[in-house]
Amino acid sequence: MTIYNYFGSKEALLKEVFKDYIDQSISEFEEYMNKDISVKEKIELIILQKREANKQKFALTVIKEVMIEDSEIMDYVKRQYDEKIIPLMLQMIEEGHRTGEISPKITAESFLIFMNMIIEHSKTLGEAFEKNRQFTEEMLHIFFYGLCGRP
């Protein structure tokens, strides 16, 4: 009965818990992105960010289901991404250009597209990263130096 007094329904409670989860994740990301560390370290976090899936409150499948089924949640996540994550990524790219850690040939748009490709495949990559440290090192090398580049 208390749930209904505060939230109106179990679904409304789930939405609030989900929004809180998203807000906490973004706060952690903001905190890390504002640390005084190299751009390379920040990018490694993004790539290797398994999001401690085993420790999190939600399984990725539940998150996807909630987002697909609920346009309000989908809009909330998109708004948070556009208003908070994208500006942090753009700030990091600018910093990388300024410090020489990111090539001036790389535009913010191409960097964001590339990062989105990696994020889209994060589940597959995360499983491979966990199984094989050598694979992790190779993928990070490809990301930072390309197929033919050198550190």
Side-chain angles (χ1 to χ4, degrees):
M1 203 60 181
T2 305
I3 288 174
Y4 294 103
N5 289 339
Y6 288 105
F7 299 101
S9 69
K10 288 184 267 185
E11 291 77 19
L13 170 62
L14 179 61
K15 283 181 187 182
E16 289 305 312
V17 170
F18 184 78
K19 286 179 181 178
D20 184 61
Y21 169 79
I22 294 298
D23 292 343
Q24 279 185 307
S25 297
I26 289 172
S27 289
E28 290 171 12
F29 184 73
E30 286 174 322
E31 185 178 313
Y32 196 85
M33 294 303 282
N34 288 319
K35 281 187 176 181
D36 189 24
I37 58 175
S38 71
V39 170
K40 182 179 178 186
E41 289 172 297
K42 291 175 183 179
I43 293 171
E44 283 180 354
L45 167 79
I46 295 166
I47 292 173
L48 297 176
Q49 191 176 40
K50 295 171 219 154
R51 283 276 161 175
E52 302 169 358
N54 300 342
K55 298 176 187 174
Q56 297 298 335
K57 299 172 191 169
F58 296 99
L60 289 175
T61 52
V62 172
I63 292 171
K64 286 180 184 175
E65 280 180 34
V66 169
M67 287 175 60
I68 289 168
E69 293 176 6
D70 191 320
S71 62
E72 179 188 337
I73 292 295
M74 181 67 108
D75 291 343
Y76 182 79
V77 170
K78 179 157 179 22
R79 192 170 51 255
Q80 296 303 307
Y81 182 77
D82 290 345
E83 293 173 5
K84 295 182 180 178
I85 300 299
I86 293 295
L88 286 169
M89 296 292 282
L90 293 174
Q91 176 185 324
M92 181 187 68
I93 294 165
E94 274 183 35
E95 179 185 339
H97 284 145
R98 202 172 44 257
T99 63
E101 291 180 86
I102 296 177
S103 168
K105 294 179 182 180
I106 305 300
T107 65
E109 181 182 23
S110 63
F111 180 85
L112 292 173
I113 290 170
F114 189 73
M115 289 303 296
N116 281 330
M117 288 187 326
I118 290 172
I119 291 166
E120 283 291 317
H121 297 285
S122 62
K123 182 178 185 225
T124 304
L125 290 172
E127 291 168 0
F129 286 148
E130 288 176 14
K131 292 178 184 176
N132 186 341
R133 181 70 187 151
Q134 177 64 31
F135 174 78
T136 303
E137 295 297 323
E138 290 171 13
M139 293 305 291
L140 287 171
H141 183 86
I142 290 171
F143 180 86
F144 288 113
Y145 310 114
L147 293 173
C148 302
R150 54 187 160 79

